[in-house]
Amino acid sequence: MRAPIGDFDAATPVPDCLDELVGPVADAVRHWTGTVPADQVLYVDTDPEWADTTVFVEHYGRELFEQSANCVVVAGKRGGETGLAACLVLSTTRVDVNGVVRRQLGVRKASFAPMDTAVGESGMEYGGITPIGLPDSWPLLVDPAVIDLPWVLVGSGRRRGKLLVPGKVFAELPGAVVVAGLGVN
């Protein structure tokens, strides 16, 4: 099947390529409950050497830069307790961790989670973390600009491969909260 965005050799519905996905992402696909059928979420095979956004768009299509989203894991601290959350923003923006995220989570301090924590707790590879398959207990903060896109390119849980996802899917994922102003320039 041809990918709806980007210059990829092929796109495969995720239920047809579970072996290409890390455990948590494959489990999320197996137990899919969204209004958009799981087979409308597509997997594209990509070279892990080109996983970083700037290099990636040079190889797979410059238009992808404005159709890509980054998923980052943040840690919030309050009263000696630390909790994790994920934030999904367009790749043309950055997450407002110290303002919007901190207030939304109701924490005293918020920061990007250490790489070992993000990888260990998500079960995904650094540089490939995706909102699909994150722990249900985590809040997933989503910038509305991501949801507004017809198709969004996000990580697949690994550095090899990406997911092409209809934007509205992200508002339906477990723990999702749409937060205006999450992504800032």
Side-chain angles (χ1 to χ4, degrees):
M1 146 186 309
R2 179 109 178 103
I5 59 174
D7 185 22
F8 303 101
D9 292 335
T12 306
V14 291
D16 297 340
C17 61
L18 295 176
D19 291 344
E20 298 294 331
L21 307 173
V22 295
V25 178
D27 288 344
V29 172
R30 285 187 195 96
H31 301 103
W32 194 262
T33 59
T35 58
V36 174
D39 64 0
Q40 289 186 26
V41 176
L42 305 173
Y43 173 84
V44 291
D45 188 40
T46 60
D47 187 324
E49 294 298 316
W50 299 336
D52 293 321
T53 305
T54 306
V55 176
F56 187 89
V57 299
E58 289 298 318
H59 292 280
Y60 296 107
R62 291 179 192 259
E63 74 280 2
L64 292 172
F65 188 66
E66 295 185 3
Q67 298 170 318
S68 299
N70 292 326
C71 184
V72 297
V73 179
V74 296
K77 295 180 183 179
R78 182 180 188 161
E81 297 288 318
T82 300
L84 298 175
C87 300
L88 186 67
V89 298
L90 294 178
S91 61
T92 56
T93 64
R94 59 181 175 77
V95 177
D96 183 3
V97 175
N98 292 313
V100 173
V101 172
R102 185 182 55 76
R103 286 190 300 275
Q104 181 67 35
L105 298 178
V107 296
R108 183 182 52 76
K109 182 180 178 191
S111 59
F112 294 106
M115 180 177 65
D116 292 348
T117 301
V119 169
E121 296 295 322
S122 70
M124 300 180 200
E125 293 178 7
Y126 187 73
I129 294 176
T130 186
I132 297 172
L134 289 172
D136 289 350
S137 61
W138 290 12
L140 170 60
L141 310 181
V142 183
D143 191 277
V146 175
I147 294 165
D148 290 343
L149 289 176
W151 289 96
V152 182
L153 178 89
V154 294
S156 67
R158 300 171 48 208
R159 284 187 65 83
R160 170 170 220 108
K162 299 283 187 184
L163 300 179
L164 302 177
V165 183
K168 62 185 175 182
V169 164
F170 299 112
E172 298 180 357
L173 293 176
V177 179
V178 179
V179 180
L182 181 64
V184 294
N185 293 323

